[in-house]
Amino acid sequence: MRRWSTFACCAFIAGTVAGVSGCGQGPNVGNHQSGTITITEMDYYTSTQGALMQTLIDKYEKLHPNIKIQRELVPNATYLQKVIQQAMADDMPDLLMLDNPNLPEIASTGVLVPLQQLGHIDTENFAKGSISEGTYNHTLYGLANANNTIALFYNKQMFQQAGIQSPPKTWAQLRVDAKKLTHGSVYGFAFSGASGLGNVAWQTEPFLWTAGGDLDAHIDSQGSRDTLNFLKSLVDDGSMPQAVVNWDQQDVQNQFQEGKVAMMINGPWIVPTLQTMKGLDYGIATVPVPKLGDQVIAPLGGEEWTIPKTNMVSEQAAFAFLKWLDDTKAQQITWAEESQEVPAYTPVAQQVVKKYPYLQSFATEVEHARARTADLGVHYPKAVDIWGSAVQSVLTGASSVDAALRKAQQETQQMLQSSD
């Protein structure tokens, strides 16, 4: 950890970063003689989100001529590795974007600044799950621009041909409808069952959590058992291919677009592409629940903005930009509309949904969504592998539900004991 030399510059910060209070320690940065502060920002955004990020940076710099923000784009595939390398080298950017499941791992190293040490954060106006995903060890380290989750996409034309009037609301209805929609080379239902954070666990958590299961020490609970039995029943019916264990989210999307799958689990980020598909008439509904009256508990997605420990000037400048980016209505609306997500800042969520009605199912789920790392913290990525292996082994017939859960329970216990 760094040891900072005393640097008295509260008066300077008050004059250059308006509206942010707080003082810390650290070496001088930027060109203070000319009144300019330069901070670095790192993310993995490409395409629409990348262009939007740069637009917002440019806008902020025009509003604050004394602040310069240097953006560094790192490919998603190597992003976490890059962050870890920078942390070990004590060479972090001033503003760091993290995918929310990775925040506990980075925060646990002590390289991030607790946000509320830098100034006030309006946490009351953020969804509970959104604040939870930015929290580690009861301390807020990250704040989200927007949140996303997953829902049920369905082909309306196929529904009409099968005589199905509306999307399924329960597991039983989903199983019946999936069987009706299955014929020839067309499957009734699919999800991404491949390994990795954004696939098998992420896509089955709405089923697992709503049924009362979890990825913790009670991974062998009845809720877990019910979830695996239900998913296996779809394979047994011939309504879902075993091949889903090798499909990532893009694979599932491709199958849906090509008319080879009638229903799928996926997220709002695919909507712009689906809208370009001629002849594809689809709808979006909340993920079916075990029984009517249950509240679906979906996983919360989205990135968190964090502030690494650098020096007082940079930390305060980064905090001011973070608050402008995340804690203000205008930027929340802009980000959510452009990135096809639900604003984390709840007072403006319905404003965005009204403009983009297809986000309603996602907004409904986000209201009660769960931060994936809320219970397991740094153990979540490993827990994902354990649960994912259980799902894959059951769907392929390599293990029975009982055997898969026994193995998962043993591995989970070992994982948790290893940190004691």
Side-chain angles (χ1 to χ4, degrees):
M1 296 302 296
R2 290 181 176 177
R3 295 183 182 274
W4 306 113
S5 59
T6 303
F7 185 73
C9 58
C10 283
F12 176 79
I13 288 296
T16 57
V17 188
V20 181
S21 61
C23 192
Q25 297 177 335
N28 205 343
V29 297
N31 185 357
H32 290 170
Q33 291 182 348
S34 63
T36 300
I37 298 175
T38 299
I39 60 174
T40 56
E41 175 273 332
M42 192 170 83
D43 63 67
Y44 54 57
Y45 292 133
T46 58
S47 189
T48 300
Q49 287 182 314
L52 175 59
M53 190 66 222
Q54 190 59 55
T55 297
L56 290 172
I57 288 174
D58 294 343
K59 180 180 178 181
Y60 188 80
E61 288 180 339
K62 288 181 180 179
L63 293 172
H64 304 83
N66 60 306
I67 302 295
K68 298 300 177 185
I69 302 173
Q70 295 179 348
R71 178 177 178 236
E72 180 181 3
L73 171 63
V74 177
N76 194 352
T78 59
Y79 192 82
L80 183 59
Q81 179 183 357
K82 173 79 169 179
V83 173
I84 293 173
Q85 289 173 345
Q86 288 181 322
M88 293 177 64
D90 199 19
D91 186 28
M92 299 286 277
D94 301 306
L95 187 66
L96 175 68
M97 184 275 290
L98 290 172
D99 193 10
N100 74 77
N102 300 135
L103 185 143
E105 179 181 358
I106 303 304
S108 69
T109 67
V111 300
L112 301 180
V113 183
L115 295 183
Q116 289 166 320
Q117 286 185 10
L118 297 173
H120 176 69
I121 296 289
D122 185 15
T123 57
E124 295 300 317
N125 278 317
F126 284 78
K128 182 179 178 181
S130 187
I131 293 298
S132 179
E133 71 178 2
T135 300
Y136 169 71
N137 199 22
H138 309 293
T139 301
L140 183 67
Y141 288 98
L143 205 61
N145 293 88
N147 289 121
N148 60 61
T149 187
I150 46 180
L152 181 76
F153 287 72
Y154 61 97
N155 186 306
K156 290 185 177 181
Q157 184 177 5
M158 290 183 178
F159 267 52
Q160 185 178 13
Q161 292 172 346
I164 303 172
Q165 302 299 316
S166 59
K169 291 182 171 59
T170 66
W171 290 6
Q173 291 171 351
L174 174 60
R175 184 177 182 184
V176 170
D177 290 348
K179 197 166 186 177
K180 286 182 180 179
L181 292 161
T182 299
H183 59 86
S185 61
V186 176
Y187 288 96
F189 178 76
F191 69 92
S192 171
S195 301
L197 279 174
N199 295 306
V200 60
W202 161 254
Q203 298 246 315
T204 58
E205 280 166 346
F207 299 96
L208 174 68
W209 288 345
T210 307
D214 217 325
L215 304 179
D216 60 12
H218 305 291
I219 195 171
D220 62 344
S221 69
Q222 188 60 46
S224 302
R225 196 173 306 278
D226 291 344
T227 300
L228 291 178
N229 279 322
F230 170 67
L231 296 175
K232 182 64 162 56
S233 74
L234 296 173
V235 173
D236 292 342
D237 290 345
S239 304
M240 181 173 70
Q242 287 185 351
V244 297
V245 300
N246 299 314
W247 290 359
D248 62 20
Q249 294 184 54
Q250 184 63 57
D251 294 326
V252 176
Q253 177 185 338
N254 292 342
Q255 294 290 323
F256 184 78
Q257 290 173 185
E258 295 168 7
K260 297 178 181 179
V261 165
M263 293 184 286
M264 70 168 175
I265 300 295
N266 225 310
W269 50 85
I270 71 169
V271 170
T273 300
L274 295 185
Q275 289 174 335
T276 67
M277 300 290 109
K278 293 182 179 180
L280 179 60
D281 187 13
Y282 66 94
I284 306 173
T286 55
V287 176
V289 295
K291 64 181 184 301
L292 287 176
D294 288 344
Q295 174 65 59
V296 61
I297 303 174
L300 202 62
E303 289 80 21
E304 296 286 319
W305 290 107
T306 67
I307 298 178
K309 293 178 179 178
T310 53
N311 58 78
M312 186 272 285
V313 175
S314 294
E315 289 169 9
Q316 289 291 346
F319 182 68
F321 177 62
L322 180 150
K323 282 181 65 65
W324 179 84
L325 193 67
D326 285 355
D327 199 13
T328 52
K329 296 179 181 180
Q331 276 60 250
Q332 283 272 321
I333 293 172
T334 298
W335 186 272
E337 289 183 349
E338 292 294 326
S339 62
Q340 312 297 316
E341 295 181 291
V342 179
Y345 194 78
T346 54
V348 299
Q350 283 306 310
Q351 183 174 338
V352 173
V353 170
K354 185 176 180 180
K355 185 174 181 179
Y356 299 97
Y358 62 82
L359 286 174
Q360 183 59 68
S361 294
F362 299 104
T364 298
E365 291 185 356
V366 163
E367 186 177 353
H368 301 282
R370 179 186 297 180
R372 288 172 280 173
T373 58
D375 297 324
L376 286 166
V378 297
H379 296 299
Y380 179 77
K382 176 61 177 175
V384 163
D385 292 338
I386 294 172
W387 171 251
S389 294
V391 174
Q392 292 168 340
S393 65
V394 168
L395 294 187
T396 59
S399 299
S400 66
V401 170
D402 287 342
L405 287 179
R406 279 197 301 271
K407 183 172 184 288
Q409 176 70 9
Q410 291 172 354
E411 292 177 347
T412 301
Q413 293 287 5
Q414 290 172 359
M415 172 189 71
L416 297 176
Q417 290 171 2
S418 67
S419 65
D420 292 343

